[in-house]
Structures are given as C-alpha cells and as structure tokens.
Amino acid sequence: LLDALADQAAVAIERIQLVADVDRAKLAAEADRLRSALLTSISHDLKTPLASILGAAGTLRDYRQALPEEDRTALLATVIDESERLNRFIANLLDMTRIESGAMEPNAALVDVADVVGSALRRAAKITAGHPIETALPDDLPMLRLDPVLFEQVLFNLLDNAAKYAAAGSAIAIRARQDGGEVLVTVTDEGPGLPPTDLERVFDSFYRVRKGDQVRAGTGLGLAICRGFVEAMGGTITAANRTDRSGAVFTIRLPAESQPKPLEPQT
Ligand code: ADP
C-alpha cells in the first residue's frame, strides 16, 4: 500500500511540476509580450512628436524666405508645442519609473486642500480655458499631511483629462468633503464617461480607451501616475461614471490630519 501511495505521490508531484513549468513559460512569454508592447508604445510616443518637430524645423530651414510670416509662426508653434509634448511625456516616464522602483520620497507637509486645488487650477488654466469650473470646498475641511507637489500633479492630470475628453465649453467640477477620517476630493466632467469594463483598467500604464483617437494626444500614463502618487500619499483613487448624466467622476480619498485647519485671521 505504501509503495502504491508513494508512486501516486510521485506522479502527482510530477504533474504539479509540469503545470508549474507551463505557468512559468506562460508568465515569461507574457512578460516578453508586455515588454515589447511597452517599447513599441514608448517609441511611437517619442517618434510622433519628433517627426513633427523635424518636419517643421526642416521646412523653416529650407523655405523660410519664401514663406509668409504667419506660416513661419505656425511652424515655430508646432516646434514648441511638440517639444512640450515630448517634455511632458519624458517627465511622465520618469514619474512612472520613480513610482515603480519605489524611489518615491514624498515630502509631507500640512496642506490646505483649497490651496492645492487653487494652484492646480491656475496651472491648468490654459488647458481648461472655456470650461466653466465649479469648486465646492467647505471652509471647515481638515488639513492633510502629504506632498503638495504630488497632490497638485494628480489634480492637474485629472483636470487635463476632463478638458481633453469632454466637449469644449462643458462644465468641470472639483469638490471636497470630509468623510470620517478621510477627505474626499472629486473631479467631475460632462464628457462621454468610461466603458464600465475600463473603470479599473484606465489606471494601468499605457492603457487608453480610444486607441485610434489621434486628436486627443495622450500617452496613457496620466492616470497611472495619479494612482501611483495617491497611493504614495496613503490614499486611493477610483473612477466612476455619473448617474445623473454622461460624464466621469474621479474620486480621491486621503487620510485627514486630525489637527483642525488653523482659523483664518479675523479682519
Ligand atoms: P491619456 O489621457 O494620456 O491617454 P490617462 O492615463 O490619463 O492617459 O487616461 C487613460 C485613458 O482613460 C484615456 O486614454 C481615456 O481613454 C480615458 N479617460 C481618462 N480620463 C477620462 C475622462 N475624464 N473622460 C473620459 N475618458 C477618460
């Protein structure tokens, strides 16, 4: 009986090893596939703006005398815009690398949500121009202890998306409220919203819902960075669709500092 059992055990172990080998091979193949998809995507995101810059700069070099002033200005604007796009993409890649290597060193400070919302709105002003912005920030919100630079970047990315994916002139809202020991900050738009199956996936690096959409230039990194930064600040970020009309809602939850907000000086 013991021999029979030992034989059965040996067969079972062999099977388990076989399955493990197959899984390992599958995992390695999947990692290879992801790596090359990532490289293809990165090369594309670098090459597209570079091609525009080279084209515009070349035309300027060869035809600048013959071109009317407004065409020269337009070509220069292309060089600048596309260089900025490259710059943003590289900054995003560096942010992502920092998040993934765990090299994030957030500088915690006592932060007033309204201040950070204000600076994110100012920084995004050019992008959100034409969109009415509603803010609802109660005076008695608790302070947060976090890195204001990371928090501002998260809000900026969400505002950027709200303006990018919703129609010109549609409203964007930033609201905050206290919920127990947390502060909730939401960014809401009136755009198309997200397919329900993509509500989680949009936070993956390089994931874009509308891949062929060249009009809305993007890298698929903005929300991955948001999630990385929010998690580095000890919070969570989720996406949902509005229930009252079409549009997306991004909700950030951050631990509130128990210390109450300092009173405004009386005037
Ligand atoms: P990017 O905007 O550069 O493509 P993101 O990571 O910021 O990358 O967003 C990932 C994808 O999620 C976008 O490509 C878009 O399809 C979708 N998305 C993000 N924000 C919104 C939004 N406010 N409304 C609709 N779709 C959105």
Side-chain angles (χ1 to χ4, degrees):
L1 180 68
L2 274 181
D3 277 354
L5 275 178
D7 280 353
Q8 272 178 12
V11 170
I13 287 170
E14 213 166 282
R15 281 210 188 118
I16 290 169
Q17 263 162 359
L18 261 172
V19 172
D21 284 349
V22 171
D23 279 354
R24 250 198 303 277
K26 264 196 207 151
L27 275 179
E30 179 64 10
D32 276 352
R33 197 189 58 76
L34 274 178
R35 199 173 305 124
S36 71
L38 210 67
L39 277 178
T40 310
S41 169
I42 293 176
S43 326
H44 172 82
D45 288 324
L46 291 174
K47 274 167 82 177
T48 311
L50 258 182
S52 307
I53 294 169
L54 279 173
T59 311
L60 271 173
R61 182 195 57 199
D62 298 339
Y63 302 102
R64 94 177 149 266
Q65 313 288 2
L67 285 172
E69 175 67 22
E70 61 189 67
D71 287 1
R72 288 201 297 256
T73 309
L75 286 167
L76 275 176
T78 302
V79 172
I80 293 169
D81 290 349
E82 296 298 310
S83 303
E84 279 174 354
R85 190 167 146 190
L86 265 183
N87 222 350
R88 271 200 311 275
F89 179 63
I90 292 166
N92 281 348
L93 273 183
L94 289 175
D95 283 343
M96 237 15 253
T97 316
R98 278 201 300 154
I99 292 169
E100 278 173 3
S101 66
M104 297 265 309
E105 283 173 18
N107 291 308
L110 204 58
V111 167
D112 185 340
V113 177
D115 288 346
V116 185
V117 169
S119 51
L121 282 172
R122 277 193 297 280
R123 212 178 118 205
K126 231 164 92 183
I127 298 166
T128 57
H131 292 270
I133 310 253
E134 181 206 326
T135 54
L137 308 162
D139 284 337
D140 57 352
L141 268 185
M143 303 284 278
L144 304 177
R145 185 170 295 280
L146 47 74
D147 188 330
V149 176
L150 300 190
F151 189 23
E152 185 188 311
Q153 185 64 42
V154 171
L155 294 175
F156 176 86
N157 287 358
L158 295 178
L159 287 169
D160 184 27
N161 280 346
K164 196 159 63 174
Y165 297 108
S170 61
I172 301 173
I174 299 197
R175 303 190 179 94
R177 65 183 167 85
Q178 183 170 9
D179 181 26
E182 290 178 324
V183 169
L184 252 77
V185 183
T186 59
V187 177
T188 309
D189 63 50
E190 296 182 343
L194 294 156
T197 46
D198 282 341
L199 291 173
E200 255 308 301
R201 278 203 296 200
V202 286
F203 293 100
D204 290 349
S205 304
F206 300 106
Y207 187 79
R208 305 196 72 207
V209 176
R210 289 160 284 269
K211 290 179 186 56
D213 201 341
Q214 291 304 319
V215 183
R216 299 182 176 88
T219 58
L221 284 176
L223 290 176
I225 290 167
C226 286
R227 178 159 277 178
F229 280 5
V230 170
E231 288 178 355
M233 295 185 291
T236 60
I237 178 168
T238 50
N241 284 311
R242 292 177 65 158
T243 48
D244 57 331
R245 53 156 298 141
S246 85
V249 192
F250 288 86
T251 304
I252 305 164
R253 284 175 172 270
L254 292 160
E257 175 82 16
S258 48
Q259 201 170 325
K261 183 170 165 175
L263 284 174
E264 295 285 324
Q266 299 291 321
T267 48

